[in-house]
Structure formats: structure tokens, C-alpha cells
Amino acid sequence: MKKTIMIVDDSILIRNEIGKILEGTDYEVVCQCRSGEEALETYEKIMPDIVTMDIILPGIDGLETSKRILNKHPKAGIVIISSLVYDKTLQVVKELGPAIPFVFKPINKPFFIESLKKVSINLESSSQIHSTQ
């Protein structure tokens, strides 16, 4: 069964690029959001397996949006995607959780798919742990 993906990015070009990258893979884009506020609302309705999250968004930024999702759903699968590469940014991403990958723009397809696979494995591991308890 394909993993569901919610894309959060204010750029339609990036949202379309991610959609094209995922064609023919084990991942299916189920929704796209342009802002942090829209992502928070949509996440609750759709409950996707994985969220791809840009950092710079109108309104609530992607890091704060990720924090809010993780506060309510600690096992949420998130991949941060951004061209914003500063030590402080990378540190904040690490603080979100050790299993949250950072993918640089422009997106390297093999690295991006590998990041999604790692998140998928973490999701499956945590659901198996909960089902055996």
C-alpha cells in the first residue's frame, strides 16, 4: 500500500516538482498546502503518513508548523525541505527529532526518496512497537 504524502510549500513549482518525483513510486500525494495554517488544518483532516515541509511559508513557518504537528502527533512523519541552510536552522531541525531528515533544494531525487524511505521505516517500526505492547 502506498504511503500518503502531504506537500507543504508556498511554491507551486516545488509542489509540482515533488509530485512528479513521486510518480511511479510507493508514495502518493494526497494534498498540497501553501501555508503553515493550512497545513495544520489539513493534517487533522487527512492524517497523511508523511509531510514534506518547506521552512519559509507565509504565516506560521514550517519549523513551527512541524513542532505543532509533532506536539499533537508525536509519531508524525515529516521531511523538511528547504534551500535555507544555516547552522541554526539545521540545529532546530535536529531538535524536532532525530528521525526527521533535511532535504536541500534543489531536490536531489535519490536522496529525497531515500529520506522518505527512512521516515516510512521509522513509522512502521513505531507502529509495530505499539501493536506489540
Side-chain angles (χ1 to χ4, degrees), residues 23-48:
E23 287 177 2
T25 68
D26 293 332
Y27 306 95
E28 176 186 6
V29 176
V30 292
C31 59
Q32 299 182 13
C33 302
R34 296 181 308 250
S35 70
E37 292 84 355
E38 184 183 3
L40 291 170
E41 184 179 321
T42 304
Y43 187 90
E44 294 299 325
K45 293 176 186 171
I46 305 292
M47 297 297 288

Side-chain angles (χ1 to χ4, degrees), residues 46-111:
I46 305 292
M47 297 297 288
D49 295 313
I50 301 172
V51 177
T52 66
M53 184 75 69
D54 187 20
I55 292 177
I56 299 174
L57 297 169
I60 303 170
D61 71 36
L63 295 174
E64 180 61 28
T65 301
S66 297
K67 284 180 195 173
R68 291 184 188 187
I69 290 172
L70 289 165
N71 281 339
K72 283 185 87 173
H73 308 278
K75 303 295 183 199
I78 297 177
V79 175
I80 301 293
I81 301 177
S82 186
S83 56
L84 189 65
V85 186
Y86 298 108
D87 288 341
K88 184 174 191 238
T89 304
L90 295 174
Q91 182 60 39
V92 172
V93 171
K94 285 180 186 176
E95 289 168 5
L96 287 173
I100 297 177
F102 190 102
V103 175
F104 298 97
K105 291 178 185 175
I107 298 170
N108 173 294
K109 181 179 177 176
F111 183 77

